[in-house]
Amino acid sequence: MTVAQTDNDTNGERIGAAAHAEVEHPSSAVVRFGADRPLDLDSGGKLSPVQIAYQTYGTLNAARSNAILVCHALTGDQHVANEHPVTGKPGWWSLMIGPGRPIDTDLYFVICSNVLGGCMGSTGPASINPQTGKPYALDLPVITVRDMVRAQAMLLDHLGIETLFAATGGSMGGMQVLQWAASFPDRLFAAIPIATGSRHSSQNIAFHEVGRQAILADPDWCGGSYLEAGKNPHKGLAVARMAAHITYMSDEALHRKFGRSLQDRDALTFGFDADFQIESYLRHQGMTFVDRFDANAYLYMTRAMDYFDLALDYDGQLAKAFAGCHTRFCCVSFTSDWLFPTAENRTIVHALNAAGANVSFVEVETDRGHDAFLLDEPELFTTVTGFLKAAARIRGLS
Amino acid sequence: MTTEMQLRTMAADPSRVDLKIIAGFVTPGARVLDIGCGDGALLMQLSEEKNVDARGIELSQKGVNEAVASGLSVIQGDADSDLATYPDKAFDFAILSQTIQATHNPRIVLEELLRIGEKAIVSFPNFGHWRIRTQFLLAGRMPVNKNLPYSWYDTPNIHFFTIRDFIELVDEVGATIEDSIALHGRGRKIAPTVSRQIWNLFGEQAVFVLSRPNSSKS
């Protein structure tokens, strides 16, 4: 047990170092925008320089009309359909994206960039602040979903892609998709926002706040300057991840997977070790997460989601965000998702209806909760396949 | 392939002859909303034959998934709760086929159809058909037939009405009947010249095309 723990720690440190190396020198394509191309931020300032790390799959056609932007969620990154350079695991959406998959890389040119404020190569709080030569930490201005989308638009300009055939993503990725439709309707032919909301609910902000407080309460957080101090607030970040992870699953799925089963033991220990499998599972989720994710980036990402309220920019009327939008939408929700329940997704659909937009909406029956969008859900795949095929036909791609 | 199969299924089902009649009322290139569109067979037919801008609403997840997967724009929802979000006259035709009897508030649904559609096309089974009347009179049982195939305890049809009842509702909401057709069994049309009393007795189902300018709505 002790030996295994030590191995784990060494392994974790190795992965942690690899993850940190990704911040400045990612195992991805990179574009750097210098002082001549500052990024306007919602908080008022400008960010410069800006680095965007991204992955692409498939081939851009001659007309540059077959690009699909994939927007990642809170703890995702650009490694959507390739082996992860740090963890060695398959890409987080490799079931959805690839040759012959719903987002077929034989047909489409898929782009996924690490969001602004992230920690896998795009400018974020772990990046070096050129003015100080030290990591930004909390000196990085707070980033919003709209800032992330602006950065993605800069990347597309750089790649010479005027119009996206489609944008898709779940959760925070879905927020970016909605923001794309609102900010750049003429650059987006089709949109597939999945398991998302037009704003972050009070309950969701509450869960995020618990996570942030766990990080802030970790003495190794060092007021945000833990990288300089050579520390890592892994305990706080792990607790944040554990709390969040519960919200990604459903009661039913937890019961099905773990029930009240005990972990490697026949009886309760009458102590505070991980007696139950669910405890062990959550601890594992927390431990593996801290090795690949930056604590400050977690603060920034959660804040971006909390601040997201698309209607706010449009007199509180969500439909106005989509006024005159010719994008074809396909919204998807999951029956057991209580983080972004069907009602939240339906609000988007109703706003799109009110705006006269072309919208489809599918609620997928599953007991796997919010995380269902990442999992093997045949109804999701059928829907995305069919929607994209029809859109491609109308777009003249096939 | 799927579309052809759907159309064949549609054509082979004489009780859904109303769909062909409805399709006949829709003008090419129109904006169409089919409420309760099932797997989207009518929308598919209208898109292919008349190049309409086809949208649908369907309650069953299976229907929605099939329709979206076949490339139609369909949302999961129902006539009672999802019509309110559409703007006035958002569609040239708002279609409600064989569904109004299953809504909770048929009058509100009808008014919503008239609000969001330049024209509303409504088809429904006629509870006043002579066979239903005799079945009820002689057997003393709630009628079960091919248009109303459910027992009373499991039927989704919660409002039963006749052609005459429907016309009365149309009057009440101040709508105009632009066109109407009543159908015998096996889908033959009843002569439009005969009285509505005759329609009510011999029509197994009916299709009405209605309109109402929005200004008349309070």
Side-chain angles (χ1 to χ4, degrees):
Chain A
M1 187 73 186
T2 318
V3 175
Q5 191 67 46
T6 311
D7 277 356
N8 241 343
D9 281 353
T10 319
N11 196 31
E13 277 164 25
R14 186 178 54 74
I15 291 178
H20 189 61
E22 292 287 326
V23 173
E24 292 298 327
H25 304 288
S27 324
S28 292
V30 157
V31 55
R32 290 184 187 87
F33 299 102
D36 56 322
R37 288 291 309 276
L39 177 68
D40 292 322
L41 298 176
D42 275 350
S43 62
K46 289 177 189 295
L47 187 64
S48 178
V50 173
Q51 174 168 299
I52 304 292
Y54 63 98
Q55 294 289 112
T56 67
Y57 313 85
T59 312
L60 187 62
N61 64 12
R64 298 178 171 265
S65 59
N66 67 334
I68 296 183
L69 178 72
V70 175
C71 304
H72 70 74
L74 174 66
T75 62
D77 53 41
Q78 69 271 35
H79 299 287
V80 61
N82 56 270
E83 185 181 283
H84 197 279
V86 176
T87 65
K89 289 183 178 168
W92 57 268
W93 228 4
S94 42
L95 291 173
M96 179 70 91
I97 298 165
R101 301 273 183 195
I103 297 175
D104 191 342
T105 49
D106 289 338
L107 302 174
Y108 309 119
F109 179 61
V110 176
I111 308 157
C112 185
S113 63
N114 186 212
V115 294
L116 191 70
C119 55
M120 282 298 285
S122 293
T123 302
S127 305
I128 299 297
N129 179 348
Q131 288 177 347
T132 62
K134 297 173 189 169
Y136 274 105
L138 299 194
D139 287 340
L140 185 78
V142 164
I143 302 295
T144 66
V145 168
R146 194 158 64 168
D147 295 333
M148 295 172 182
V149 166
R150 280 196 200 100
Q152 287 161 348
M154 284 166 71
L155 169 64
L156 293 188
D157 292 343
H158 166 76
L159 295 174
I161 295 165
E162 174 54 34
T163 307
L164 286 169
F165 167 57
T168 184
S171 201
M172 188 180 86
M175 290 176 169
Q176 293 162 62
V177 173
L178 296 176
Q179 187 66 61
W180 258 98
S183 295
F184 304 105
D186 297 335
R187 298 187 72 173
L188 188 61
F189 185 76
I192 313 175
I194 303 171
T196 192
S198 61
R199 61 182 183 177
H200 218 213
S201 71
S202 186
Q203 188 182 40
N204 290 356
I205 295 170
F207 274 113
H208 275 174
E209 176 60 3
V210 170
R212 282 191 296 263
Q213 286 302 327
I215 293 168
L216 268 50
D218 188 328
D220 285 347
W221 183 62
C222 305
S225 305
Y226 50 88
L227 289 174
E228 259 187 276
K231 293 185 174 171
N232 183 7
H234 57 85
K235 283 182 183 151
L237 182 58
V239 171
R241 173 64 169 177
M242 287 166 78
H245 201 78
I246 300 167
T247 69
Y248 304 151
M249 299 178 294
S250 72
D251 182 35
E252 206 181 340
L254 282 180
H255 192 77
R256 174 167 51 75
K257 276 172 86 171
F258 306 107
R260 291 182 52 85
S261 305
L262 300 181
Q263 180 68 30
D264 301 331
R265 65 201 66 192
D266 301 322
L268 300 174
T269 60
F270 291 89
F272 297 98
D273 207 7
D275 275 357
F276 295 100
Q277 278 183 9
I278 179 61
E279 293 174 298
S280 172
Y281 172 76
L282 276 185
R283 288 181 189 194
H284 174 76
Q285 288 294 329
M287 263 165 42
T288 51
F289 181 63
V290 299
D291 293 334
R292 70 172 177 87
F293 212 86
D294 176 58
N296 283 339
Y298 194 83
L299 298 181
Y300 277 80
M301 297 291 98
T302 54
R303 209 65 186 138
M305 289 181 79
D306 292 352
Y307 277 10
F308 189 65
D309 182 358
L310 190 54
L312 208 60
D313 299 329
Y314 301 88
D315 306 328
Q317 291 177 46
L318 188 56
K320 281 193 183 172
F322 307 117
C325 180
H326 295 293
T327 305
R328 301 172 66 85
F329 289 85
C330 180
C331 302
V332 184
S333 73
F334 301 94
T335 49
S336 54
D337 183 351
W338 55 278
L339 196 62
F340 291 96
T342 289
E344 294 275 342
N345 292 273
R346 203 182 277 283
T347 300
I348 299 164
V349 174
H350 284 167
L352 288 165
N353 278 343
N358 189 317
V359 56
S360 291
F361 170 55
V362 174
E363 183 186 29
V364 175
E365 175 113 28
T366 174
D367 75 350
R368 291 148 117 184
H370 183 61
D371 261 355
F373 84 89
L374 299 166
L375 304 173
D376 184 12
E377 290 288 347
E379 291 280 8
L380 169 66
F381 299 149
T382 312
T383 300
V384 171
T385 304
F387 174 76
L388 283 180
K389 265 189 189 159
R393 204 167 52 235
I394 295 160
R395 181 75 169 141
L397 290 180
S398 55
Chain B
M1 183 68 183
T2 321
T3 316
E4 281 169 22
M5 278 167 58
Q6 283 167 345
L7 289 177
R8 246 181 280 135
T9 314
M10 202 166 90
D13 180 358
S15 67
R16 293 317 310 268
V17 69
D18 63 310
L19 295 182
K20 275 198 217 159
I21 305 235
I22 290 169
F25 286 125
V26 174
T27 49
R31 300 163 299 160
V32 175
L33 178 68
D34 184 5
I35 301 129
C37 65
D39 62 6
L42 174 64
L43 288 174
M44 191 61 91
Q45 183 191 2
L46 288 172
S47 328
E48 291 181 355
E49 292 175 4
K50 300 202 168 178
N51 194 30
V52 302
D53 179 355
R55 315 279 176 90
I57 298 180
E58 168 59 26
L59 188 57
S60 82
Q61 186 181 0
K62 190 169 173 291
V64 177
N65 292 8
E66 284 174 13
V68 173
S70 66
L72 292 165
S73 297
V74 172
I75 69 163
Q76 193 163 12
D78 65 62
D80 282 303
S81 50
D82 287 288
L83 298 182
T85 59
Y86 292 96
D88 292 357
K89 304 301 181 199
F91 301 96
D92 296 307
F93 296 94
I95 298 169
L96 190 66
S97 59
Q98 304 287 351
T99 301
I100 193 166
Q101 75 280 1
T103 63
H104 286 284
N105 291 297
R107 180 183 174 139
I108 294 172
V109 168
L110 184 63
E111 299 220 44
E112 284 292 272
L113 289 180
L114 292 162
R115 181 185 66 80
I116 65 176
E118 296 286 352
K119 287 181 182 166
I121 306 180
V122 183
S123 73
F124 55 89
N126 175 28
F127 210 68
H129 187 261
W130 67 269
R131 205 176 281 119
I132 294 181
R133 296 192 202 194
T134 41
Q135 203 176 351
F136 191 69
L137 188 70
L138 299 179
R141 305 278 307 270
M142 287 304 283
V144 176
N145 61 39
K146 69 174 191 294
N147 287 333
L148 299 161
Y150 304 96
S151 295
W152 66 274
Y153 48 82
D154 64 3
T155 181
N157 302 322
I158 52 179
H159 293 283
F160 289 115
F161 58 97
T162 69
I163 293 175
R164 288 184 71 191
D165 291 328
F166 184 75
I167 291 170
E168 193 176 283
L169 177 63
V170 169
D171 282 344
E172 265 186 52
V173 302
T176 309
I177 298 173
E178 303 271 343
D179 213 330
S180 58
I181 287 174
L183 299 165
H184 283 295
R186 296 189 300 280
R188 284 176 296 113
K189 291 181 194 175
I190 300 177
T193 46
V194 302
S195 79
R196 291 280 159 81
Q197 304 273 15
I198 301 294
W199 279 27
N200 205 27
L201 200 54
F202 293 102
E204 282 198 349
Q205 50 179 324
V207 183
F208 278 74
V209 183
L210 311 170
S211 70
R212 188 184 69 180
N214 274 353
S215 52
S216 70
K217 196 189 171 212
S218 57

